Amino acid sequence: MASTEHALKDAMSSIEGAIGVALVDYNSGMALGTIGGGPELDLNVAAAGNTDVVRAKVRAIEMLNLKEAIEDILITLSTQYHLIRPLTSRSGKGLFLYLAIDKQRSNLAMARHQLKRIEAELEV
């Protein structure tokens, strides 16, 4: 099992084109850990904003009475992909991984695969 810091470093080093990654508590909107980002991508602001995205999708699933769980949420921008992956472990309840990658330097399918592996290995 990997610590938060190790998991975030793993994401930045193993996912081609990674711009930034964060572990976020979607109850509070607070980033519990971040790596990467910079002036063009404030990961703390992104964490808070994407909390609203997760909450909205959870509410929509409940209102639709779907017996489904969110695997991941993809947001496509003109130059970036943003992936949101809620943690499924009991200890990760209420948390999600947030990853921003460069569209030109990344492979979306491989990024999703790597993020799923990192989520499975993460111990919170």
Side-chain angles (χ1 to χ4, degrees):
M1 291 294 185
S3 69
T4 299
E5 182 179 357
H6 183 267
L8 297 178
K9 285 180 180 177
D10 185 11
M12 285 299 291
S13 65
S14 68
I15 299 174
E16 188 72 31
I19 298 167
V21 62
L23 178 65
V24 183
D25 177 340
Y26 70 75
N27 295 306
S28 68
M30 298 282 295
L32 304 177
T34 64
I35 294 183
E40 71 284 347
L41 179 64
D42 183 327
L43 289 172
N44 290 305
V45 172
N50 283 302
T51 293
D52 293 334
V53 172
V54 174
R55 287 179 186 161
K57 191 60 194 172
V58 167
R59 273 194 313 274
I61 289 170
E62 289 170 356
M63 287 188 307
L64 291 167
N65 233 2
L66 298 176
K67 304 300 182 230
E68 299 284 338
I70 300 168
E71 187 171 315
D72 59 33
I73 298 169
L74 171 63
I75 300 166
T76 305
L77 304 178
S78 55
T79 63
Q80 300 173 4
Y81 293 121
H82 291 208
L83 283 164
I84 299 169
R85 184 167 186 90
L87 273 58
T88 57
S89 68
R90 178 172 285 158
S91 64
K93 189 93 171 131
L95 303 177
F96 66 88
L97 283 167
Y98 167 74
L99 172 71
I101 57 177
D102 182 286
K103 282 173 81 169
Q104 297 296 331
R105 299 184 308 123
S106 63
N107 177 318
L108 180 57
M110 286 304 297
R112 289 184 69 220
H113 176 73
Q114 288 290 75
L115 201 58
K116 181 177 181 178
R117 177 190 58 79
I118 291 165
E119 185 249 332
E121 295 173 359
L122 178 62
E123 185 170 309
V124 185

